[in-house]
Amino acid sequence: MPHHILVADDDPHIREIICFALEKAGMKTLAVADGAAALQAIERRAPDLVVLDIGMPEMDGLEVCRRLRQRSDVPVLFLSARDEEIDRVLGLEMGGDDYVTKPFSPRELVARVNVILRRARPAPVEIDDRHLSHGRLTLAPASHAASFDGKTLALTAIEFSILKGFLARPAHVLDRETVMASAYAANIHVAGRTVDSHIRNIRAKLAAAGCEDAIETVHGVGFRLGKCGA
């Protein structure tokens, strides 16, 4: 079955370019011109991923994502005409999975969409659901389930993959490149600040579940898994 992608951007030319590129890659698309229409479309039918422009009038993409995250964990790829760190950080902290700056390469956008979709929906052949555990933290990779001390964690696909990378090597200190290699394809460039934003989100979600020592910073080197309540 083809993936269904919702494209929300107030520029009709951008919408046309994105939809053409995604449909050429075998996906189905629905395009809307504003944030309110995007939320209505998601309410009618949940897409597999949302391509969401930050700079839309009236209701911007950040507000759309904030409202969306109150009821859904559908993956979000942000678009912005500004290459500003604050936009990237805010977008990721609100639950976005990735960020593309305009002007962009349609080919790169499709590649990033495919990476997110692969992480969000594991291939059917992955039937081994052996749990990864550390302290009171548990991940079930095949079913994409995560919990701390029995409390379910609502992780995005990227956050789940990052945490899985840590649990696979719980005693290792991982640098930023290694952390993101577990979540993105090798040919996708991700800024260091993006890594930090994802780590911050994971820490916050685990802290809300009662884990205050999820991921430790090793200054000048990278990160390592904490005791996780052990």
Side-chain angles (χ1 to χ4, degrees), residues 90-162:
L90 281 174
L92 294 169
E93 287 182 344
M94 286 187 176
D97 293 87
D98 204 353
Y99 189 104
V100 173
T101 303
K102 301 176 185 178
F104 55 84
S105 159
R107 189 181 220 169
E108 180 186 1
L109 184 140
V110 170
R112 288 179 180 266
V113 166
N114 278 323
V115 168
I116 297 171
L117 289 172
R118 282 198 299 270
R119 299 299 181 186
R121 300 289 173 86
V125 295
E126 295 182 17
I127 58 175
D128 183 359
D129 200 19
R130 286 175 296 183
H131 292 186
L132 296 172
S133 297
H134 181 75
R136 287 183 278 167
L137 174 64
T138 302
L139 264 63
S143 57
H144 193 81
S147 64
F148 177 79
D149 201 20
K151 299 173 184 175
T152 300
L153 300 171
L155 303 176
T156 67
I158 298 296
E159 291 164 2
F160 188 93
S161 295
I162 290 173

Side-chain angles (χ1 to χ4, degrees), residues 9 18 117 120 136 168 218:
D9 195 299
I18 295 173
L117 289 172
R136 287 183 278 167
V218 181

Side-chain angles (χ1 to χ4, degrees), residues 132-134 139 161-183 214-215 223-226:
L132 296 172
S133 297
H134 181 75
L139 264 63
S161 295
I162 290 173
L163 205 49
K164 179 182 174 183
F166 277 110
L167 264 71
R169 289 168 285 185
H172 292 203
V173 176
L174 308 182
D175 60 23
R176 284 177 171 81
E177 288 187 5
T178 303
V179 171
M180 297 317 292
S182 63
I215 299 175
F223 307 94
R224 72 172 159 229
L225 199 60

Side-chain angles (χ1 to χ4, degrees), residues 3 7 13-14 17 21 23 78 98 109-110 133 139 146 174 196 230:
H3 289 291
V7 178
H13 179 61
I14 296 293
I17 290 174
E23 289 173 4
F78 278 114
D98 204 353
L109 184 140
V110 170
S133 297
L139 264 63
L174 308 182
D196 294 343

